[in-house]
Amino acid sequence: MERIAIYPGSFDPPTNGHIDMVERGLKIFDKIIVAILINPSKKSLFTVEERKEMFKASLKNCPNIEIDFFEGLLVDYVVKKKAHVVIRGLRAVSDFEYEFQLAMMNRKLNREIQTVFLMTGLRWVYISSSIVKEAASFGADVSSMVPESVNKMLIKKYS
Ligand code: PNS
C-alpha cells in the first residue's frame, strides 16, 4: 500500500523550511501531497495559485509530490485523498502548543488519521512565512531563506 502523507498549511509564501519538510517527509513516505488552505477570511499576500506555482518551481526535481488546494476541514480532505497521515513541522517549543491542539482536535474528529511531526533543519528554525514577509516588505534580502521563485515574487510584490 502506498504511504501517502498530507502536508497542509497556508504557505504564504513557501519558505526553505517548508521545502526542507517536504524533502524529509519523502524519506519516510512514498508520496507527499502539499495541501494549500483556501481561506478567504484570512488576508494573504499571495493567491493560492501563486503559492502553488512557487511550490511547483521549488520542488521541480522532487518526485512523488502533488501540490493541491483544500478548503473546509483538514480531516475531510485527508480522507478524500485516501491518506492516513498529516505531517507538520516543529521548529521551536513555541510551536508545540498550537500543533498539539491541532493534532488533538484532528484526532477527535477522525481517529484513523495520525499526525506526524518532523523537525526542520537547524538552519530554518527561526524562519516563518510571516517574518520573511515582514523583512522583505522593508527591502531586506531574504534570498537565503526562501526558494528562488519565492524571492522573485516577493521582490515583485514589494517593489
Ligand atoms: O500554515 P498554517 O497556517 O499553520 O496551517 C494551519 C492549517 C491549514 C493546517 C489549519 O489551519 C487547518 O488544517 N485548517 C483547516 C480547518 C481545520 O481542519 N482546522 C482544524 C480542526 S478545527
Side-chain angles (χ1 to χ4, degrees):
M1 201 176 79
E2 199 182 30
R3 287 164 307 170
I4 304 171
I6 307 293
Y7 179 36
S10 305
F11 307 118
D12 183 42
T15 66
N16 285 350
H18 295 133
I19 304 300
D20 180 55
M21 283 292 298
V22 172
E23 287 165 351
R24 284 172 197 274
L26 280 174
K27 294 191 173 128
I28 305 170
F29 299 99
D30 299 317
K31 181 177 173 181
I32 305 278
I33 302 175
V34 175
I36 304 168
L37 176 68
I38 300 171
N39 186 358
S41 62
K42 197 170 159 187
K43 203 173 162 287
S44 57
L45 179 63
F46 295 102
T47 66
V48 284
E49 285 80 15
E50 284 173 327
R51 286 178 250 169
K52 181 177 179 173
E53 284 313 307
M54 288 186 279
F55 243 123
K56 232 166 104 180
S58 325
L59 291 167
K60 58 176 180 277
N61 297 323
C62 263
N64 308 326
I65 295 285
E66 182 182 327
I67 303 159
D68 194 14
F69 310 120
F70 80 104
E71 51 191 332
L73 280 180
L74 174 62
V75 289
D76 292 343
Y77 176 78
V78 176
V79 169
K80 189 180 111 189
K81 298 304 275 186
K82 297 186 169 48
H84 299 277
V85 176
V86 169
I87 55 176
R88 292 284 289 170
L90 279 181
R91 289 163 301 186
V93 179
S94 51
D95 282 340
F96 183 77
E97 206 170 328
Y98 171 64
E99 293 301 333
F100 180 78
Q101 191 181 24
L102 191 65
M104 286 301 148
M105 187 63 177
N106 285 335
R107 181 185 288 174
K108 183 77 186 161
L109 295 173
N110 186 328
R111 302 200 68 80
E112 302 303 314
I113 297 169
Q114 304 302 326
T115 302
V116 171
F117 294 106
L118 298 178
M119 308 246 275
T120 39
L122 210 49
R123 284 186 299 165
W124 316 124
V125 287
Y126 66 97
I127 290 177
S128 68
S129 299
S130 323
I131 204 139
V132 161
K133 275 187 288 194
E134 185 171 340
S137 74
F138 291 113
D141 175 8
V142 295
S143 57
S144 61
M145 302 165 204
V146 293
E148 205 186 319
S149 57
V150 177
N151 192 40
K152 280 191 188 142
M153 287 291 277
L154 282 168
I155 291 169
K156 210 165 118 187
K157 285 270 178 193
Y158 288 122
S159 64

